[in-house]
Amino acid sequence: QVQVLESGGGLVQAGGSLRLSCAASGVRFAFNYMGWYRQATGKERELVAVIDSGGISNYPQSVEVEGRFSISRENAKTTVYLQMNSLKPEDTAVYYCYYHNPLETQIFWGQGTQVTVSS
């Protein structure tokens, strides 16, 4: 059974930085996607960044994070990181990591980690 575990959230002042980590265990070696969604209070969950096992990353243009956030991964450990710089209060949310093998229907989610940016 695949398990996804995030860490690294916390409270930071505007302009500060945080790095989130996410480890997926119990996975088989296969092409996969890992990434981060976030959900602020009263808002829908939105995709922040995704990276495939080949190292190709994507940041949806609908979310204003490119240039401030950077996703990376260590394939040998099936671990992904989200480096968040120049944080803004509007980045405050619960950040969820996910793992997805596109040949399978199920997406595996972590429990979420809270990021709070104070002004």
Side-chain angles (χ1 to χ4, degrees):
Q1 179 72 1
V2 176
Q3 293 186 323
V4 177
L5 183 63
E6 308 107 330
S7 62
L11 173 64
V12 64
Q13 290 188 333
S17 299
L18 281 175
R19 189 173 87 150
L20 306 183
S21 300
C22 172
S25 60
V27 303
R28 296 181 300 167
F29 180 78
F31 181 82
N32 61 77
Y33 295 96
M34 293 186 70
W36 296 89
Y37 276 76
R38 69 184 181 186
Q39 187 167 22
T41 302
K43 296 187 177 181
E44 294 186 352
R45 191 175 293 193
E46 60 182 4
L47 178 64
V48 175
V50 58
I51 187 167
D52 66 30
S53 48
I56 304 299
S57 59
N58 186 42
Y59 306 86
Q61 292 185 355
S62 60
V63 179
E64 192 275 307
V65 300
E66 193 164 11
R68 299 190 298 121
F69 291 9
S70 176
I71 189 170
S72 60
R73 68 183 290 166
E74 296 180 35
N75 276 342
K77 296 182 179 181
T78 323
T79 300
V80 295
Y81 305 97
L82 186 67
Q83 178 66 43
M84 305 185 293
N85 300 323
S86 302
L87 283 161
K88 304 176 181 180
E90 50 264 43
D91 294 318
T92 295
V94 178
Y95 284 70
Y96 296 91
C97 179
Y98 75 93
Y99 169 91
H100 182 218
N101 178 343
L103 296 180
E104 300 176 0
T105 57
Q106 187 171 3
I107 298 173
F108 297 91
W109 294 92
Q111 79 286 356
T113 186
Q114 177 70 48
V115 171
T116 302
V117 184
S118 62
S119 57

